[in-house]
Amino acid sequence: FEFYTLAYTFNRSRTDFAKVAMLSSYLQLLKSHPFKTNMASALVIFSLGDVTAQYIEHENEMPKGQMRHMPFQLDYLRMNEMVLWSAGFYTPLFYKFYNWMDVRWPKVTPFNVVRKVGAAFLLSAPINSLFFAYGVAYPHFVSTYVTRTTSSVPYSEISSDTSKKVEAELLNTMKASAALWWPANAANFAFVPPHLRAIWTSVFSVV
């Protein structure tokens, strides 16, 4: 019994040591190659986040009695769009923008934190609005267009219906976004080290 206890403790300690070593190596990469590491991290975070979101949507949309008869199918096109958006545009942009703000307002003071939160919101609000509008309008337009082939719905009605859907959901989404991002960015600029801020943003973007 003592032998197995010692063996289990040794294996667990070795596993814990390996995890600590991996984390230490990752943090070192963030300091030595911050841009590349942040981009790779964003790619992984957004990929896992979108897969999780798709699975949750699948569970919520399917009636309970049909859950076992409707297997989950991953939308690779949607996931690739999210990855390209995050690792190819969103994360690089804010990584550079955060660095610019750190040079312009280097000290961590309440006033500088407020300025950084405001500047980040002014930059992100129009970008997120456009991305949200695309994410809502494109699938809605396509699904309505498919319906048109069988019901002869005019193009003008499809466009009008799509615009109304975007307008109806955009304001509530912007309010929810501000409620999340203002405190998240305040904590980011006040407490998170500069080389970890883009990752912090990626994690909250998934939320």
Side-chain angles (χ1 to χ4, degrees):
F1 177 78
E2 292 180 356
F3 172 78
Y4 287 112
T5 301
L6 290 173
Y8 172 78
T9 304
F10 174 77
N11 288 331
R12 184 172 181 179
S13 299
R14 187 170 59 179
T15 301
D16 292 341
F17 177 79
K19 291 179 181 179
V20 172
M22 290 177 61
L23 178 60
S24 178
S25 299
Y26 174 70
L27 293 176
Q28 186 60 39
L29 283 173
L30 279 170
K31 293 181 179 180
S32 59
H33 303 285
F35 184 78
K36 292 180 181 179
T37 308
N38 272 282
M39 298 312 103
S41 300
L43 189 150
V44 173
I45 291 170
F46 275 85
S47 296
L48 294 176
D50 189 63
V51 171
T52 304
Q54 289 190 42
Y55 183 77
I56 293 174
E57 291 171 6
H58 169 76
E59 285 198 333
N60 292 336
E61 291 175 359
M62 291 296 102
K64 293 183 178 180
Q66 298 181 12
M67 288 295 293
R68 295 181 180 179
H69 304 289
M70 298 292 292
F72 170 67
Q73 293 183 346
L74 182 64
D75 186 344
Y76 288 97
L77 177 60
R78 168 180 151 173
M79 186 182 72
N80 289 335
E81 288 177 348
M82 289 297 298
V83 169
L84 288 174
W85 163 259
S86 60
F89 175 75
Y90 194 84
T91 303
L93 173 65
F94 278 91
Y95 176 84
K96 297 293 185 181
F97 186 64
Y98 290 168
N99 287 344
W100 176 82
M101 288 195 295
D102 287 337
V103 172
R104 188 174 180 85
W105 306 308
K107 294 183 179 180
V108 181
T109 63
F111 183 56
N112 282 346
V113 169
V114 171
R115 288 200 288 192
K116 289 180 178 180
V117 170
F121 179 76
L122 290 176
L123 177 63
S124 64
I127 296 174
N128 290 338
S129 297
L130 287 173
F131 186 71
F132 171 81
Y134 167 77
V136 172
Y138 177 73
H140 183 74
F141 183 87
V142 170
S143 63
T144 309
Y145 180 80
V146 171
T147 304
R148 177 188 179 278
T149 59
T150 57
S151 59
S152 300
V153 179
Y155 282 107
S156 58
E157 185 175 335
I158 296 175
S159 299
S160 177
D161 184 59
T162 302
S163 298
K164 289 179 181 179
K165 182 174 179 62
V166 172
E167 292 174 1
E169 297 184 12
L170 181 59
L171 181 59
N172 289 334
T173 302
M174 290 297 295
K175 290 180 180 179
S177 177
L180 170 69
W181 280 110
W182 287 358
N185 278 334
N188 194 8
F189 297 127
F191 306 113
V192 179
H195 61 282
L196 297 177
R197 286 176 182 165
I199 294 177
W200 176 278
T201 301
S202 296
V203 171
F204 273 87
S205 296
V206 171
V207 174

